[in-house]
Amino acid sequence: MAECVRLCDVGPSRRCRCRQQRRQTETATDNSKPDTDPGEEHVAAGAAALCGAGSGGSASPSPPPRSSLLGLPPELLVKIFSLLPGTDLPSLAQVCTTFRRILQTDAIWRLRCQEEYGVCENLRNLEIMGVSWRDVYAKLLHPYRHILGLWQPDSGPYGGLLNVVVDGLFIIGWMYLPPHDPHVDDPMRFKPLFRIHLLERKSATVECMYGHRGPHLGHIQIVKKDEFSTKCNHTDHHRMSGGRQEEFRTWLREEWGWTLEDIFHEHMQELILMKFIYSQYDNCLTYRRIYLPPSHPDDLIRPGLFKGTYDIHGLEIVMLSFHGKHARATKITGDPSIPAGQQTVEISLMHRIQLPDIEKLRNFNEFSRIVLEVHERVSQEQQRQKDKTEDGEGHSWQGPREPQQGPAQPRVRPPTEKVREPGAPALEGHPVQFVLPVGVISSNEDYPRTCRMCLYGTGLVADHGFTSPKRIPGVFILFDEDHFGFIWLEQKSFSLYSRVQVTFQNADAPSPQAFEEMLKDIQSLTS
């Protein structure tokens, strides 16, 4: 203050003229700055810092010109923002008012709906509904993105296959059903169970599609990751004016393609009535996600979903997958004897069966003898492996083993074990003639008359209610890329499987481990 007195020639009782002039200068400088958003200043400062970092840190006589995204034309920012994932755009809108204003552009959200969900809808349809592309993304697609894909309903032993897809401005849950028995090569049937859509600018509306009285209000709750539930708010829409008898006749015609006069077997009547009762609970179900099996170049054929014949239970859906030296067919739909989720067939890829000539193949006793010889050999190998494992566990309690003397012995492969070089064609050999042995029952006589190879396998059988389950020997017959069969030796029964020719979206497993965990989960629900 004393120095200010000397420089300004004023006493201490008066204000410092230097300080006043300094404050006036700072005020004038502040007033000359543009009125900007703090977020915009942050973006600009960040861009300037990045430009300075690129100069190598060397001193410059004059600072470089400040550059910022805010300096770009708005139409260029629209192009840039359109390339970002839709989930990142809300965070971008919080940066500054300019970004928030640009993100109101509907073209950005239209591109996000198209690229992320495949929505290609006419803009006029949106105008009629009074909604924007931003509404479609933020209120419909994004909130319900977790339920897209393949699901299995928790409907007792019967299971099922639900495919949730984006269809225009709707999200629809389609229940896939196998064709009517025994037409295994017919296309899959499907019916809508629910749909979700926008009404004007309100939140998304869930509608139940079950019944014959049109859409009505429903509810969807995402229980947890990979699980959600549906509930109908108006179950009276599921009822028919003719009562239960009319409902049963309609269900029987749609589900089985039959009439009441077609059901003449008492056990068949019981099975059909039981399934009808379970179908009445479609108004409140829980669904668990399922994945399609991962494929590998060395797989015997391409894995996936197949339709198979199961005697009096009709056609069911199974999933064929490969696991090292074995392949498995897991039920996606089931029945009271073998419920959904169980491994109906297991194939040993290392035990090939050489079929006799066509005349001997017709003789069931000769065919059975060949299969049982392989079965005995497999049982012995499994027992040796079990003894070896138990022996190793026993030694682990007795302290460290003595080191092995001499060079290690090479592993001896069983005579039936065949190693395929990586990248070699999975489908080997020329087709040979095939015919079912006399006495083997098949609900579909129109099976292929040539096959590529036969492998030893086991099939799962059980009494009603999945009691006393056991695996019995059988033969896996590979006909071609899209067809295979299985002969259940003890039951003298034949099942024919045909590939499901449907392309499913959002159904690939994120990893092989995730697929294995999924198989364990759906099997544990019915064990």
Side-chain angles (χ1 to χ4, degrees), residues 153 161-162 172-176 191-195 207-211 216 230 238 282 285 287:
L161 182 65
L162 179 76
I172 303 180
W174 295 98
M175 180 64 77
Y176 276 77
K191 63 180 181 179
L193 289 192
F194 62 84
R195 70 180 185 183
E207 293 179 330
C208 176
M209 305 292 288
Y210 188 81
H216 44 284
T230 59
H238 301 180
D282 283 355
L285 286 176
Y287 299 86

Side-chain angles (χ1 to χ4, degrees), residues 115-316:
E115 291 191 354
E116 295 181 21
Y117 299 99
V119 179
C120 297
E121 194 69 18
N122 193 322
L123 187 60
R124 182 172 178 80
N125 293 339
L126 288 180
E127 294 174 352
I128 295 174
M129 297 173 60
V131 299
S132 65
W133 283 106
R134 185 183 181 190
D135 294 329
V136 173
Y137 190 97
K139 298 179 181 180
L140 176 66
L141 302 179
H142 183 70
Y144 291 98
R145 68 193 185 279
H146 296 300
I147 70 170
L148 299 178
L150 288 179
W151 304 82
Q152 185 182 54
D154 183 10
S155 55
Y158 300 103
L161 182 65
L162 179 76
N163 186 28
V164 183
V165 299
V166 176
D167 188 354
L169 298 177
F170 293 84
I171 293 177
I172 303 180
W174 295 98
M175 180 64 77
Y176 276 77
L177 306 169
H180 294 141
D181 189 37
H183 308 292
V184 70
D185 280 325
D186 285 0
M188 295 283 286
R189 299 175 294 132
F190 49 90
K191 63 180 181 179
L193 289 192
F194 62 84
R195 70 180 185 183
I196 313 169
H197 62 110
L198 289 178
L199 293 177
E200 299 179 349
R201 289 185 176 272
K202 299 178 182 179
S203 60
T205 300
V206 178
E207 293 179 330
C208 176
M209 305 292 288
Y210 188 81
H212 296 80
R213 297 172 60 181
H216 44 284
L217 286 179
H219 176 71
I220 287 181
Q221 180 181 4
I222 299 177
V223 180
K224 59 182 180 180
K225 186 179 182 295
D226 296 335
E227 183 176 323
F228 76 95
S229 62
T230 59
K231 183 179 181 181
C232 176
N233 296 342
H234 298 284
T235 55
D236 56 303
H237 282 63
H238 301 180
R239 306 279 74 86
M240 301 184 73
S241 57
R244 290 292 186 182
Q245 186 174 5
E246 182 184 0
E247 293 172 8
F248 177 70
R249 287 180 178 274
T250 303
W251 174 85
L252 184 63
R253 183 177 62 254
E254 294 177 351
E255 183 78 15
W256 296 82
W258 292 349
T259 64
L260 285 175
E261 291 71 22
D262 296 327
I263 311 174
F264 53 87
H265 194 280
E266 184 177 351
H267 184 52
M268 173 68 74
Q269 294 175 0
E270 180 183 352
L271 291 174
I272 290 178
L273 284 174
M274 182 181 300
K275 192 170 185 179
F276 171 71
I277 293 173
Y278 265 97
S279 71
Q280 301 305 295
Y281 295 95
D282 283 355
N283 60 307
C284 185
L285 286 176
T286 298
Y287 299 86
R288 294 175 178 84
R289 184 180 295 280
I290 59 176
Y291 298 116
L292 293 179
S295 60
H296 191 271
D298 288 343
D299 290 341
L300 195 63
I301 59 173
R302 179 166 52 92
L305 297 175
F306 289 78
K307 304 157 285 183
T309 57
Y310 279 87
D311 197 24
I312 61 175
H313 300 293
L315 296 187
E316 298 185 12

Side-chain angles (χ1 to χ4, degrees), residues 25 292 358 370 412 490:
T25 302
L292 293 179
I358 197 70
I370 295 173
V412 178
E490 291 183 12

Side-chain angles (χ1 to χ4, degrees), residues 354-424:
Q354 190 69 35
L355 294 179
D357 59 66
I358 197 70
E359 292 303 323
K360 290 185 178 179
L361 181 59
R362 295 179 185 274
N363 186 326
F364 180 81
N365 291 332
E366 176 65 17
F367 176 80
S368 177
R369 181 189 64 79
I370 295 173
V371 177
L372 291 178
E373 285 180 358
V374 179
H375 174 69
E376 182 65 24
R377 187 162 62 246
V378 172
S379 299
Q380 292 175 0
E381 292 174 6
Q382 292 175 345
Q383 185 62 43
R384 285 197 298 267
Q385 183 64 31
K386 181 180 179 181
D387 295 341
K388 183 178 178 181
T389 303
E390 293 177 351
D391 182 63
E393 292 175 352
H395 279 289
S396 64
W397 292 98
Q398 300 174 13
R401 300 180 64 179
E402 294 294 328
Q404 183 179 2
Q405 301 295 328
Q409 296 296 319
R411 175 175 177 259
V412 178
R413 299 185 184 277
T416 56
E417 184 174 344
K418 183 176 182 181
V419 179
R420 189 158 27 125
E421 295 296 329

